[in-house]
Amino acid sequence: MQTYTLAIADGVLFACLPDDADISAAITDATATNYGFGLSLDIVRGATLTNAKGPEDEVVWQEGSDSELLDAEGRRYRYAVRRHS
């Protein structure tokens, strides 16, 4: 199963890319374009994108009216979660 790395700051999702992608370049582009350099981002690795969260899942991002959570193919999801077995 493909897992993703998310970059989040101040309730804004800046990047959501597969764990093996170059997240640094995406973060640089997003922060320079939207907020300027020096923004403190929370980086979450190993997230699973899903439309249904389980009782043991830790939600790290939830899609909102002003944000879309998309996978590498452009499919939309409601949640990014850390799965605990």
Side-chain angles (χ1 to χ4, degrees), residues 4 16 18 49 63 68-77:
Y4 285 76
C16 177
L49 306 184
E63 181 184 58
E68 290 184 330
L69 184 59
L70 305 173
D71 70 5
E73 285 79 40
R75 292 180 297 238
R76 190 172 178 172
Y77 291 88

Side-chain angles (χ1 to χ4, degrees), residues 37-70:
F37 292 103
L39 183 66
S40 178
L41 293 167
D42 294 322
I43 306 299
V44 178
R45 299 187 189 282
T48 300
L49 306 184
T50 183
N51 286 315
K53 60 183 177 167
E56 299 296 317
D57 289 345
E58 173 192 352
V59 176
V60 294
W61 183 260
Q62 182 172 338
E63 181 184 58
S65 60
D66 59 348
S67 68
E68 290 184 330
L69 184 59
L70 305 173

